[in-house]
Every structure is written in structure tokens, then in C-alpha cells.
Amino acid sequence: MPEGSAGSTGWRRHLVIAGSCALLGVAVHLASPFLPVPLALIGLGVGLVGAGFMLAWAADAGEAVFSGGAVLAVIALVAILPEFVIEVRYAYIQEVGLVTANLTGATRLLLTGAAALPLLVLLVSRRRARQEAPLELAPHRRLDLGILIITAVFAVQIVVRGSLTVVDSAVLLALYVLFAMRVQGAADEEPAVVGVPAGLRSLSRENARGAVVGLILIAGCVVLVVANPFADALLVTGTSMGLDPYLLIQSVVPGATESPEFVIVAVLVANHRPAQGLALLLASSVSQWTVGLGLLPIAFAAGGGGTSMPLSGREQLELGFTIAVTLFVVAALATLRPERADASLILGVFLVQLIYPAPFVRFACGFVLLVFAIDLLCARRRTLRPMLRSAVGRRHPTPASPR
């Protein structure tokens, strides 16, 4: 019987709590005309987090109860549905000043979490006073790294040009299709199911599939109802306090919507399965970079804005900084054996730019990460060919990890 499901109904209670929180968000949305905006913000946030947990659990369990590479790619999309809803809406209503805020904030948060995971493993091992096995990614995860580095390099011309076009959309969405066609599990890597996902997996195969699909549909509907009102309430509340709207969307919203994934990652680390947690963060990052960024020009054109979506100087800076973060994370994980020195650097830079979000600080942090990324990629240049071959080359058994 899967871990976490042995004769226990605790997972059902957790599912009911998350579902109740999600429904609370819908109820608050319906009653929002009669509620103070700050109170509505709290209720909508609770609903969004509850729906996020349901989506994350369904995505985790779905990897075990469904099969096929395309299914795994769809599951990676499901986990970040809240961000997609907010990003596409801002592009559709021509809010070009905010259109990349949520995308860049969520992507950097996911990638920083992936690269900094060895520090969490170290913390858990010290608390348990025992030596944990070194964190190592499965060789087929080079696909995620290969797609990330290709996308990051491609995005450089977007930053230089200062606009996102439907041609860029076609390329980015094609990269995701390529990822979906090639993503696969491995015989030596069990699905990353613990807690509620393990409980869902303990059901009969037919019931488990029905439960996963039902959770995705219900939580997805809640996200569609709650996500945008939450972002609007956040903007109203924050701007009334004199806070920067861009930073609110970039920092606070991803902190709420990505929290379920980070909780799952923490549980996986506690259950001695950090590699699966890292893989979850990488797959979500791929989805953000390809589908998330690729849908923006399409939504912008659908809203009447034309086939080229302009980027302000601030958005160029933020997207450039995200490119630097991506290249550094790929370089840090290129050997498939993350090191604590790299984890400490990316975490330190993330905290500095979060505490001091001035444009010059973002530029300086991006420059530092880019220099280290180039240095690491040069030192680990033998890992580049396997990564790129996993993404665009012929499919064949993956060789051993270069050291």
C-alpha cells in the first residue's frame, strides 16, 4: 500500500479542509460587494491557497494513476494554473505594466527553490541527527534543464527587442510540446506521492482516476473564479498603503499560489525523497517559461492589442533578471548533483533582491548570477551536450552523469 495511506483516513480530513477553504473563497467572492476589501482579500487568499493545495495534490497523484509522458506534462501545467489565470488576464486587458510581474516572480521563486533544496536537505538531516544521502537528480531530468536553457537563451532577444510577439509564442509553445513529447518517468524513480496523493492512490484505479480528474475540475473552477478578484483586492489594498503594485503582484501572489508546491516539496524531503521535489519545481518552471510566457502575446492580441506586446523598461529588466536566475540554476544543476555552495548563493541573492527590490539591486543581482552561470557552464561544459541532446536530439538511453 502506498506510503501515507495505510488504513488512515487523515488524508481525507486534509482534503475536506482544503476543499472548505476553496469554497470559502468562492463565497467571499460572491459576497465581496458587501465586504471591506482587506477582509475580502483574506478570504479570497484562503480560497486560492485551498484550491492550490487541491491542484497540487491532484497533480502529484495523477503522475501515479495515469501513464504517459504527455500526461506528466499536463500535470505540470495543472500545478501552476493560478499563475496562468492571472498572467493571461493582465495581458488580455492590456495591463502591459503588470503583465510579466506574476510570471517573473513565480518563475524565480520556483527556480530558487529548486537550486536551494540542498540546504533544506541539510537542515532536515541536522534536525534528525543523521546523515542523509546526497541529493541527485535522475538522468532523464536533463530534459527539464535542456528546455530551460534553450528557453532562457531564446528569451534574450525578447529582452533586447523590448516586445513579445505571436512568433515568440509559437516558438515557446512548440518548446512545451517538445517537452511534453519527451518527458517520461524512470524505472528507478517512484511517483512523488505522499500524504493526500498517497491516499488517493490507495483507491481503486478507476476511483483514483475519477478523484484526480474531479479535484482538478473543481479546484480549476475555483481558481478561475477567485484568482483575478484576489489579485485585484491585493492591488487595491496594497496601493492604499502606498505599496508598489508591480511588486505586490510579483511577490505576494506567487507566495500564495506556489505555497502548496513548496509544502509538498518539504514533505518529500522529510520522507527522504528530495529528488522528486526538485523535479516538481523544475517541471513547473518549464511550464512557466514556455506556456506562461508564450500565452501572453496571444492573450494580448485577443484583447485587441495587436500581435506584438510591448515591454516597459522595468519589464525588460525583470525578464532579464529571470533569465540570469534560470541560467544559474541550470548551471548549478547541470551535474545532476546540486551543491550547497550554489544553493547558498542563489538563496542569498534571492533574499537580497526581495528585501531591496530597487532596479539597480535587481540589475546587480542579475549580473552576479550571470557571471557565475557562465563560469559554471564553462567549467561543466561536458554536461551541456547531454542536456541539449535530451531536449532536441535523438531519443536514446541516457548516459551516466558527467562528473
Side-chain angles (χ1 to χ4, degrees):
M1 185 174 291
E3 181 181 0
S5 63
S8 172
T9 59
W11 66 271
R12 299 178 189 270
R13 182 171 63 254
H14 295 155
L15 193 55
V16 169
I17 293 173
S20 300
C21 291
L23 293 178
L24 173 64
V26 175
V28 169
H29 172 60
L30 296 176
S32 58
F34 312 101
L35 297 174
V37 175
L39 182 60
L41 172 65
I42 295 173
L44 292 169
V46 169
L48 191 60
V49 171
F53 270 102
M54 294 169 67
L55 286 172
W57 288 333
D60 197 11
E63 186 175 351
V65 301
F66 293 98
S67 59
V71 171
L72 301 182
V74 171
I75 285 168
L77 280 176
V78 166
I80 55 174
L81 180 61
E83 287 81 14
F84 284 175
V85 172
I86 294 172
E87 291 159 9
V88 169
R89 185 253 187 153
Y90 279 131
Y92 182 79
I93 65 175
Q94 316 295 298
E95 284 282 0
V96 293
L98 297 173
V99 72
T100 64
N102 189 239
L103 173 78
T104 54
T107 304
R108 293 202 295 256
L109 183 61
L110 289 166
L111 288 169
T112 300
L117 203 56
L119 298 179
L120 179 59
V121 174
L122 175 63
L123 178 63
V124 170
S125 64
R126 285 183 174 178
R127 287 178 62 88
R128 293 179 173 178
R130 56 186 290 180
Q131 183 67 35
E132 297 284 340
L135 175 56
E136 182 171 355
L137 279 170
H140 68 275
R141 295 299 176 188
R142 288 197 186 97
L143 170 63
D144 306 62
L145 299 176
I147 295 293
L148 283 172
I149 193 170
I150 291 171
T151 308
V153 172
F154 174 78
V156 171
Q157 55 87 26
I158 297 174
V159 174
V160 173
R161 190 175 64 242
S163 64
L164 260 168
T165 69
V166 291
V167 176
D168 297 322
S169 293
V171 174
L172 292 167
L173 294 176
L175 283 171
Y176 188 79
V177 171
L178 183 65
F179 172 72
M181 292 172 59
R182 289 173 173 262
V183 69
Q184 57 182 321
D188 58 347
E189 184 182 50
E190 296 180 2
V193 285
V194 292
V196 173
L200 293 171
R201 192 186 178 194
S202 69
L203 303 173
S204 67
R205 188 171 185 82
E206 182 178 349
N207 289 339
R209 288 186 171 187
V212 168
V213 173
L215 281 177
I216 291 174
L217 292 177
I218 294 172
C221 290
V222 172
V223 167
L224 291 174
V225 171
V226 171
N228 286 320
F230 171 72
D232 291 340
L234 178 66
L235 283 177
V236 172
T237 303
T239 51
S240 68
M241 300 170 61
L243 301 178
D244 186 345
Y246 193 97
L247 293 179
L248 286 171
I249 297 298
Q250 186 179 62
S251 302
V252 179
V253 174
T257 56
E258 300 293 357
S259 59
E261 293 178 75
F262 281 93
V263 170
I264 289 177
V265 170
V267 172
L268 288 169
V269 171
N271 284 273
H272 314 289
R273 302 167 73 178
Q276 282 94 332
L278 201 160
L280 171 65
L281 296 176
L282 285 179
S284 297
S285 301
V286 170
S287 299
Q288 283 281 12
W289 255 124
T290 54
V291 181
L293 189 61
L295 286 178
L296 296 184
I298 297 175
F300 183 77
T307 58
S308 179
M309 186 181 73
L311 299 177
S312 67
R314 180 176 193 173
E315 289 180 305
Q316 289 175 277
L317 173 62
E318 296 291 348
L319 191 57
F321 181 34
T322 307
I323 290 172
V325 171
T326 304
L327 292 175
F328 177 82
V329 171
V330 170
L333 302 178
T335 63
L336 305 182
R337 300 177 183 87
E339 298 181 7
R340 290 168 186 167
D342 298 332
S344 299
L345 176 60
I346 187 66
L347 184 59
V349 168
F350 180 81
L351 293 175
V352 167
Q353 62 86 34
L354 187 64
I355 297 171
Y356 304 103
F360 175 77
V361 174
R362 294 277 170 90
F363 179 83
C365 288
F367 180 78
V368 169
L369 288 180
L370 186 60
V371 170
F372 275 97
I374 294 173
D375 180 65
L376 286 174
L377 287 173
C378 289
R380 301 169 179 177
R381 55 188 176 275
R382 288 194 300 167
T383 65
L384 285 174
R385 182 176 294 179
M387 281 194 295
L388 296 177
R389 189 165 52 228
S390 294
V392 297
R394 291 183 179 180
R395 297 184 63 175
H396 53 75
T398 309
S401 305
R403 294 181 182 273

